[in-house]
Amino acid sequence: MNKSVTVLLSTIWVHCFFSSVALASPSSDMVDALNAQVLRVQVKHNNGSQGLGSAVVIAKSQVVTNCHVVKDAHDVSVMVNGVPHVATGVKADWHHDLCILTVAKLDAPIAKMGASKNLQYETPVFTIGYPDKTTEPVNTFGVVKGIFPMDDSVVIRATSPFRLGASGGGVFDDTGTLVGIITLKSRGNQAHYYYMPVEWVQALMDKPAQVLGAKTEKPFWAAMDKERPYFMQVVQPCVSQDWKSLLTVSLEWVSHEPNTAESWFYLAMAEYETKAYEKATEHFNKALSLNEGHRQATEYLSKINEKTASARVAINQLALLD
């Protein structure tokens, strides 16, 4: 990955809370088989620099990667058993940061695609990619922690970590089905990790291929703050503990996406932090009504119960003193 992409990715902030990781446990035979479906990508850019990434085999002579991996490239190849195979064309969805490369005579097993929008919170997942300069695939494990509806599918957040160079690799569920494409992470030691859905990949497969180096566009996650999806707009006020700003953004989010659990969750969080516990309780419950597996909403409701119970005890003690 080139330096400009590294800087761009580093501008995306972490969310304001972190959850424990429950690990998926696929068999070693399954992991070995899936590793062969993910390939290393080598890129030569127009400015003379070189970059690295990952890609998933999705059809005969076709692999999918992130567009930011192949941006401004004049030569792209994927490695199969140490042998480079040159990409001759690209199907690009720059807005969603997904590019399908045409690689003639590619001999590698094809990944089975699932349905990202059918994922549930806490679903075990694991990633396969080629971070840094490694020549062997690296596996990481975690669970789904965020599902954000967008453009007829969902953007996925999970706790399975990855490093630069893994962009374009795959995220699989514990049945070995491809459910997402590694794309970006927030900065910091407690980074959050985001994946693009397979539905966007499937839609892109029907588009015509272009030559490499065709016109590029910025992905949605690189837009100005107010033009980003709401699930990205809430991050900065959350990190900076600017609860009034979080309340403003969340109210707007709820008005535009009233059937999204996350919009109600962030609204309730802002209300909780401003001690509007009655409203927070109502809206955490609303989030749970839309997604009963939203563990963080349940955790906040427990905190509210503890606070209100403590307040009742204090009031009773004062009454006894009187």
Side-chain angles (χ1 to χ4, degrees):
M1 185 181 298
N2 61 33
K3 291 182 179 179
S4 63
V5 171
T6 302
V7 172
L8 194 56
L9 289 178
S10 69
T11 63
I12 301 173
W13 292 81
V14 296
H15 280 269
C16 44
F17 53 84
F18 310 100
S19 300
S20 59
V21 175
L23 300 182
S25 55
S27 69
S28 58
D29 288 342
M30 176 190 291
V31 173
D32 288 343
L34 296 177
N35 282 343
Q37 300 171 5
V38 181
L39 307 176
R40 187 184 185 200
V41 179
Q42 297 184 158
V43 180
K44 295 180 181 178
H45 297 284
N46 294 328
N47 62 5
S49 65
Q50 298 186 13
L52 297 170
S54 305
V56 184
V57 184
I58 55 169
K60 182 179 180 180
S61 300
Q62 292 189 82
V63 301
V64 64
T65 188
N66 291 132
C67 290
H68 72 251
V69 171
V70 299
K71 180 182 178 182
D72 298 325
H74 67 84
D75 184 274
V76 178
S77 60
V78 297
M79 304 297 293
V80 182
N81 298 322
V83 178
H85 293 253
V86 177
T88 57
V90 59
K91 300 177 182 180
D93 179 356
W94 292 99
H95 180 67
H96 292 139
D97 201 4
L98 291 169
C99 280
I100 295 176
L101 304 175
T102 302
V103 184
K105 299 181 180 180
L106 179 65
D107 184 17
I110 298 170
K112 178 183 177 182
M113 283 192 275
S116 302
K117 57 187 178 183
N118 290 341
L119 286 171
Q120 302 294 321
Y121 279 55
E122 310 303 325
T123 298
V125 292
F126 64 99
T127 70
I128 304 175
Y130 288 80
D132 305 322
K133 296 182 179 180
T134 181
T135 57
E136 298 294 331
V138 174
N139 309 125
T140 67
F141 304 85
V143 295
V144 174
K145 284 295 182 183
I147 300 172
F148 307 107
M150 182 177 177
D151 297 344
D152 298 321
S153 189
V154 293
V155 174
I156 307 155
R157 179 171 69 85
T159 58
S160 42
F162 56 84
R163 302 192 303 275
L164 296 180
S167 292
V171 57
F172 299 82
D173 65 17
D174 57 5
T175 69
T177 301
L178 180 70
V179 293
I181 302 300
I182 298 171
T183 302
L184 69 149
K185 69 185 185 74
S186 61
R187 70 179 184 179
N189 294 329
Q190 298 284 355
H192 282 199
Y193 302 87
Y194 298 89
Y195 310 90
M196 300 302 103
V198 294
E199 285 84 359
W200 292 350
V201 177
Q202 291 165 330
L204 183 58
M205 293 177 74
D206 295 329
K207 293 187 177 181
Q210 304 172 340
V211 296
L212 289 171
K215 182 180 178 181
T216 65
E217 302 172 15
K218 286 184 178 180
F220 71 86
W221 51 260
M224 299 295 290
D225 287 346
K226 292 297 183 181
E227 297 175 359
R228 291 179 178 178
Y230 287 111
F231 70 83
M232 298 184 74
Q233 290 188 39
V234 296
V235 175
Q236 179 54 36
C238 194
V239 170
S240 61
Q241 299 185 4
D242 183 355
W243 306 122
K244 289 185 178 180
S245 293
L246 180 61
L247 184 63
T248 299
V249 175
S250 299
L251 283 169
E252 186 176 338
W253 190 0
V254 164
S255 69
H256 284 85
E257 299 180 24
N259 295 320
T260 300
E262 292 298 326
S263 64
W264 292 102
F265 172 76
Y266 278 96
L267 174 59
M269 180 193 294
E271 292 164 340
Y272 172 87
E273 295 295 348
T274 54
K275 296 182 171 54
Y277 296 132
E278 186 173 343
K279 287 185 177 180
T281 298
E282 177 186 352
H283 294 146
F284 280 131
N285 279 315
K286 177 65 175 180
L288 283 169
S289 72
L290 293 168
N291 178 7
E292 61 183 13
H294 204 302
R295 180 178 294 179
Q296 291 158 335
T298 302
E299 291 171 352
Y300 269 99
L301 285 171
S302 296
K303 291 180 181 180
I304 292 174
N305 287 335
E306 291 174 3
K307 287 179 179 293
T308 53
S310 297
R312 284 194 296 269
V313 169
I315 291 171
N316 290 337
Q317 289 175 337
L318 287 173
L320 290 174
L321 291 174
D322 291 340

